[in-house]
Amino acid sequence: MKKDVAVIGGGMTIFRRRLKETGKELSFLAAKMAMEDAGIQKDDIDMIVMGTAPDAFDGIHMKGENLLDGAAGAGKPYVRVFNGGGTGVFAPIAGWWHVASGVADVCLVVAEEKMGSCYPHPQTAFQHIWDPVLDRPLHPNLVWLFAMEMNRYMTVHGIKKEDIARVAVKNKRNAVGHPCAQLADPNITVDDVLNSEMMAWPVQRLDISPPSDGAAALLFCSEDVVRQYTDDPVWVGGVGWNIDSTMWTNRDLYFPRYVAHAAKMAYKMAGIVNPRKEIDFAEPYDPFDYKELHHMEGLLLCDKGEAPILTREGVTQRDGDMPICPSGGLLGVGNPIAATMGQKVCELYWQLAGKAGKRQIPTNPRVGVGQAWGDIMQMATVMVLKR
Amino acid sequence: MEQKKDEKVTYPKYAPGTHVSTSDIYQKNITYSWWEPEVQYAWSLGPAYSRFLEGLKEGKILGIHCHKCKRVIVPPRSFCEYCYGPTDGWIELPDTGIIETYSVSYLDPDANRIEEPILIGVIDIDGADEHHGFMHYFGEMSKDEIKIGMKVKAVWKPEDEREGSITDIKYFKPLRGGE
Ligand SMILES: [Zn+2]
């Protein structure tokens, strides 16, 4: 018998290029905040899910075990889940199924990343994710992947770079209301993005989110016990995930069809027939500005090639008809890979609970969708929250 | 139910964590430890990749059929990931194709800045299915000249320098009229 699952608490640390605290300590800080938010003690937590991405960044192999004490995992049923950049939404999906299956009444989800430990730059560790036969002998830089996908997307639809730059401007401005933000900027303009350093055409410095350290946490609880913690719960409406072939040079990169598959799975579970009408706001994964647009299309929130137009028309602003990344996203708040759960799912919870304060969407939202993306341009994870 | 709004409080209510900078480490302002792993790998490449690389050494781009999907696949593999059956036989493909997508990179593999950009992209190989190809460098063209849809041809290393690697192709150059 499947249980309905509520979100009853959220927490996150500041996101910065480098933090003094260890990964365990960051996990502890984020988890403690979520537990205070829900009014819950370690003894009340049945099971724990840890989400954390490539071991090579921290330099600690099997780092799930290294982090578990910080995530309140000692002496508990504990599991680490990991699918690259998709982890930020996959970890809460795993938390959901712990509770939905009935095996746990309360499940704590902690997501942690420390990218600052890898010297001289986490890019060096990214070299180890490429295919050893086809790709590595060419000494690729990870930014190349996104540059090639962005170029394909722009060329197929005839999209101008300035229409993509508007995403970076919006998100870095939205992040001004976020206490944890790394790159909030109230004064940034489209020209600033277009004039920033060229890294790998068409990707420029301000098109990219920064590498970051940070942690986030969420508490999920069963319908059976939720009234002990809140009178006004936020519910998980649906979850979906999907992964396409790793042979990324055998796919047309202009459209992320695996995102559409994951979205359809989540919408079906949530009873959403017309996502454009029934979803009030979204937190699509935005490690690059074009990715927000690509993912809006993958999430079926608009037609293929239409997302830049909606952005230009202001539809995706916090006070627009379809606010996108009201948290400030990865571009504004930062990108500690798995810990972006803080923007992609904690933000849905804070917005729907009316707790987003300076970032609050003014139109009383009732349904939000969050999404993450990862591996070699192939993994999508989607979660719908509703009031 | 009307949403309960509390505009005085913004969640998260506080923002824990302590920012440190790179110079704090180089100047030893904070306590840290250092580790440089030394680890090496030798991968055995299996029948499909091995034959593909042997083909490159001979100056040939080899693809493979999936008869069930009616697909000519490059890079080749032992099984088809979609119909999940074994692949059905080798085919020699021309060493030409079109640029599927590309980038002009001012970053080296460690994210260091470089003056002379690297032209990199995916080549959709002629004779294989649409959008089927592999990543490689481009040469004998400028960053202003390169574009998606451009016809290109492999430039091979001299035979005695080939070693059975994707780098036995030096780069892809524009395929001009008459070639
Ligand atoms: Zn097949």
Side-chain angles (χ1 to χ4, degrees):
Chain A
M1 188 69 171
K2 186 160 90 60
K3 304 283 185 186
D4 279 342
V5 180
V7 183
I8 55 169
M12 65 192 282
T13 68
I14 57 169
F15 289 178
R16 293 294 183 275
R17 177 73 177 84
R18 193 169 283 104
L19 291 173
K20 184 176 186 178
E21 289 80 5
T22 64
K24 282 186 211 190
E25 289 163 343
L26 294 175
S27 300
F28 174 79
L29 292 169
K32 268 289 183 193
M33 191 191 289
M35 289 162 68
E36 286 167 19
D37 186 11
I40 218 168
Q41 304 300 317
K42 189 185 171 193
D43 287 347
D44 303 321
I45 297 169
D46 299 314
M47 298 189 183
I48 284 132
V49 171
M50 165 57 72
T52 189
D55 291 348
F57 293 130
D58 285 42
I60 297 171
H61 194 45
M62 296 178 66
K63 66 174 165 167
E65 283 66 21
N66 177 269
L67 294 168
L68 84 89
D69 288 357
K76 300 268 189 190
Y78 169 94
V79 67
R80 173 201 182 179
V81 296
F82 161 53
N83 36 40
T87 310
V89 176
F90 196 73
I93 289 173
W96 168 84
W97 80 51
H98 277 63
V99 176
S101 63
V103 298
D105 279 334
V106 176
C107 181
L108 170 66
V109 178
V110 184
E112 178 274 355
E113 214 71 58
K114 268 185 92 76
M115 301 177 76
S117 309
C118 185
Y119 269 75
H121 192 280
Q123 278 292 339
T124 308
F126 269 126
Q127 289 173 43
H128 302 278
I129 75 167
W130 295 86
D131 185 285
V133 177
L134 300 166
D135 300 335
R136 280 193 221 185
L138 301 170
H139 305 294
N141 182 296
L142 196 75
V143 177
W144 292 2
L145 269 186
F146 311 121
M148 289 187 277
E149 188 180 63
M150 180 172 174
N151 189 5
R152 185 82 196 160
Y153 173 60
M154 287 172 66
T155 302
V156 167
H157 294 301
I159 297 165
K160 293 196 182 76
K161 262 224 74 177
E162 62 186 65
D163 282 335
I164 292 177
R166 290 176 208 282
V167 173
V169 171
K170 169 177 68 70
N171 292 2
K172 288 173 195 296
R173 289 184 177 212
N174 279 352
V176 171
H178 204 301
C180 300
Q182 182 174 355
L183 287 182
D185 185 344
N187 302 312
I188 188 171
T189 65
V190 168
D191 280 345
D192 292 337
V193 180
L194 296 178
N195 294 329
S196 64
E197 182 193 3
M198 183 59 75
M199 301 183 83
W201 191 91
V203 174
Q204 293 174 257
R205 165 158 289 286
L206 292 178
D207 294 316
I208 311 186
S209 61
S212 317
D213 287 3
L218 276 170
L219 271 161
F220 290 95
C221 127
S222 161
E223 58 182 313
D224 296 343
V225 299
V226 68
R227 299 296 160 186
Q228 296 173 28
Y229 302 108
T230 178
D231 297 328
D232 193 11
V234 170
W235 298 98
V236 178
V239 300
W241 63 103
N242 194 280
I243 188 162
D244 211 330
S245 165
T246 306
M247 305 305 287
W248 64 277
T249 62
N250 291 172
R251 296 190 256 127
D252 191 336
L253 301 174
Y254 91 106
F255 180 72
R257 58 191 181 192
Y258 47 93
V259 177
H261 293 319
K264 284 176 186 168
M265 176 176 164
Y267 297 161
K268 187 178 176 194
M269 194 181 299
I272 291 171
V273 179
N274 184 344
R276 300 179 198 198
K277 286 216 170 74
E278 295 172 62
I279 290 170
D280 298 320
F281 73 106
E283 278 283 345
Y285 209 60
D286 63 320
F288 292 72
D289 43 14
Y290 83 96
K291 288 307 308 184
E292 171 171 311
L293 305 170
H294 213 220
H295 291 151
M296 283 170 64
E297 295 170 18
L299 289 168
L300 312 173
L301 299 175
C302 59
D303 290 340
K304 294 175 184 176
E306 193 187 10
I309 300 164
L310 297 182
T311 305
R312 192 199 306 144
E313 291 172 348
V315 173
T316 63
Q317 294 287 339
R318 190 181 281 137
D319 59 359
D321 285 347
M322 174 64 81
I324 303 289
C325 292
S327 67
L330 279 56
L331 289 160
V333 183
N335 186 5
I337 305 177
T340 59
M341 183 175 84
Q343 300 100 306
K344 299 300 138 186
V345 185
C346 294
E347 183 72 8
L348 300 185
Y349 161 64
W350 286 319
Q351 289 286 350
L352 292 168
K355 291 178 165 182
K358 291 173 191 156
R359 302 187 311 285
Q360 188 67 46
I361 295 168
T363 49
N364 196 24
R366 304 192 68 85
V367 181
V369 60
Q371 174 251 340
W373 165 84
D375 301 336
I376 305 280
M377 304 187 284
Q378 66 192 126
M379 180 76 202
T381 51
V382 175
M383 179 173 267
V384 174
L385 295 191
K386 63 178 186 180
R387 216 147 40 88
Chain B
M1 194 185 331
E2 187 50 32
Q3 189 177 24
K4 281 187 269 176
K5 275 187 197 153
D6 183 355
E7 286 176 357
K8 287 189 286 293
V9 181
T10 295
Y11 278 70
K13 276 198 277 193
Y14 56 102
T18 314
H19 183 214
V20 293
S21 70
T22 304
S23 60
D24 285 328
I25 288 181
Y26 288 131
Q27 293 167 12
K28 301 191 190 298
N29 294 335
I30 59 165
T31 307
Y32 68 91
S33 65
W34 188 267
W35 175 251
E36 290 181 51
E38 284 181 38
V39 61
Q40 295 177 17
Y41 297 89
W43 292 285
S44 63
L45 295 182
Y49 270 171
S50 296
R51 178 93 191 265
F52 178 64
L53 295 184
E54 284 159 20
L56 293 175
K57 201 171 177 181
E58 296 162 18
K60 297 173 185 167
I61 296 174
L62 297 179
I64 204 158
H65 281 286
C66 174
H67 287 157
K68 195 169 174 190
C69 295
K70 298 186 171 45
R71 192 159 74 114
V72 175
I73 305 168
V74 70
R77 43 256 196 197
S78 302
F79 54 88
C80 171
E81 68 273 23
Y82 293 114
C83 69
Y84 209 56
T87 40
D88 301 298
W90 293 85
I91 176 173
E92 186 182 337
L93 300 170
D95 66 350
T96 57
I98 60 167
I99 297 180
E100 167 88 5
T101 188
Y102 70 90
S103 173
V104 179
S105 178
Y106 295 86
L107 297 177
D108 81 357
D110 291 319
N112 298 308
R113 305 312 193 252
I114 49 177
E115 285 288 316
E116 196 54 39
I118 300 166
L119 304 184
I120 186 79
V122 176
I123 301 95
D124 179 357
I125 297 292
D126 288 340
D129 261 43
E130 216 183 353
H131 312 298
H132 276 53
F134 48 81
M135 180 167 70
H136 221 295
Y137 302 117
F138 300 108
E140 299 181 38
M141 63 179 87
S142 74
K143 66 181 171 61
D144 304 314
E145 203 180 351
I146 187 169
K147 64 176 197 293
I148 286 178
M150 191 178 197
K151 289 179 178 298
V152 290
K153 181 176 173 59
V155 175
W156 297 85
K157 280 183 181 166
E159 203 171 339
D160 57 351
E161 289 177 23
R162 292 183 211 144
E163 50 190 7
S165 163
I166 194 77
T167 54
D168 289 350
I169 297 172
K170 285 159 73 175
Y171 53 81
F172 282 77
K173 66 171 186 180
L175 182 62
R176 320 259 184 209
E179 280 187 84

